[in-house]
Amino acid sequence: NAGVTQTPKFQVLKTGQSMTLQCAQDMNHEYMSWYRQDPGMGLRLIHYSVGAGITDQGEVPNGYNVSRSTTEDFPLRLLSAAPSQTSVYFCASSYGGVGIQYFGAGTRLSVL
Amino acid sequence: LAKTTQPISMDSYEGQEVNITCSHNNIATNDYITWYQQFPSQGPRFIIQGYKTKVTNEVASLFIPADRKSSTLSLPRVSLSDTAVYYCLVGDMGASGTYKYIFGTGTRLKVLA
């Protein structure tokens, strides 16, 4: 049972580069979300989705884009990477808005 | 804006019961209270969820008073492996009328031998 799968696990970018962080879940969950966690800090919500075709902004959406074309996938796009986006990114999914969230293992991103 | 407030850190000794309280004064009527545990370099992991009164599972208990403005996570007889950050979450209504979940700062629990 895979659960929530994030790829890649590690990534190094140069300032200005773009990339997509992948997130896939096999639990048929409607609700998916992206968080970032800076060293020693709590998780901050970037974007979330309540179903295919529906996304909304979280606390820190600037510099990131998302789309939800299928129930299973919720990719996070960095448009033009900046050093301030160096962080660990977690994807989560749940059945419905009040359901238990299941988290992926994270993607560790460094922007030089 | 739904928001939670927790103590920043707590220390405890092995074998003791640990109680972590979370304040959520603006919790919505239909919202649940959920607690997560996070170890270093891992994603958060679900511990327990409740709506009111008391909920117990194999790892913890959750106490919620009638006004639901706070909740207390109780960890019985902690061990060194319970050293982690514990987060309390409640929902917040997003612009599209959907719920989103905002993590607070969490409580960093350190269990001492």
Side-chain angles (χ1 to χ4, degrees):
Chain A
N1 192 0
V4 179
T5 302
Q6 292 185 235
T7 56
K9 288 184 169 43
F10 302 93
Q11 183 70 49
V12 178
L13 292 177
K14 294 182 179 178
T15 297
Q17 287 185 317
S18 63
M19 80 159 293
T20 299
L21 279 62
Q22 301 292 343
C23 177
Q25 53 92 7
D26 62 358
M27 297 173 282
N28 201 31
H29 285 167
E30 302 165 342
Y31 191 98
M32 296 186 74
S33 54
W34 276 102
Y35 295 88
R36 61 175 287 176
Q37 185 172 36
D38 299 334
M41 307 293 287
L43 287 84
R44 290 186 291 171
L45 181 65
I46 305 172
H47 286 287
Y48 66 104
S49 169
V50 299
I54 307 171
T55 63
D56 204 348
Q57 296 182 350
E59 303 173 270
V60 288
N62 293 340
Y64 307 94
N65 270 0
V66 291
S67 60
R68 184 95 178 270
S69 56
T70 67
T71 299
E72 295 77 21
D73 300 299
F74 190 41
L76 178 71
R77 281 181 287 277
L78 280 70
L79 309 174
S80 177
S84 61
Q85 293 179 305
T86 293
S87 190
V88 180
Y89 291 83
F90 290 103
C91 177
S93 75
S94 66
Y95 182 70
V98 297
I100 299 165
Q101 291 195 77
Y102 294 87
F103 285 80
T107 294
R108 283 149 185 79
L109 176 68
S110 292
V111 182
L112 306 177
Chain B
L1 177 67
K3 182 178 177 182
T4 59
T5 304
Q6 304 174 230
I8 295 294
S9 64
M10 297 179 68
D11 288 345
S12 180
Y13 287 95
E14 280 191 295
Q16 289 187 331
E17 178 184 74
V18 171
N19 295 310
I20 305 174
T21 297
C22 178
S23 172
H24 29 78
N25 291 318
N26 297 320
I27 187 169
T29 303
N30 58 348
D31 203 4
Y32 284 74
I33 300 152
T34 311
W35 285 79
Y36 290 86
Q37 175 191 55
Q38 186 182 29
F39 297 113
S41 302
Q42 295 184 23
R45 184 178 70 173
F46 170 81
I47 301 175
I48 197 166
Q49 184 182 67
Y51 183 79
K52 61 180 178 180
T53 63
K54 177 183 175 182
V55 179
T56 297
N57 62 22
E58 63 275 9
V59 297
S61 294
L62 179 60
F63 299 92
I64 304 168
D67 66 6
R68 303 196 336 115
K69 293 183 182 300
S70 66
S71 59
T72 298
L73 174 72
S74 180
L75 303 172
R77 299 179 298 280
V78 294
S79 64
L80 295 176
S81 62
D82 293 317
T83 294
V85 180
Y86 293 82
Y87 295 96
C88 159
L89 262 73
V90 297
D92 182 37
M93 190 68 74
S96 59
T98 57
Y99 269 109
K100 57 185 177 181
Y101 289 89
I102 306 296
F103 279 76
T105 55
T107 297
R108 194 171 298 272
L109 173 66
K110 184 175 183 180
V111 179
L112 307 170

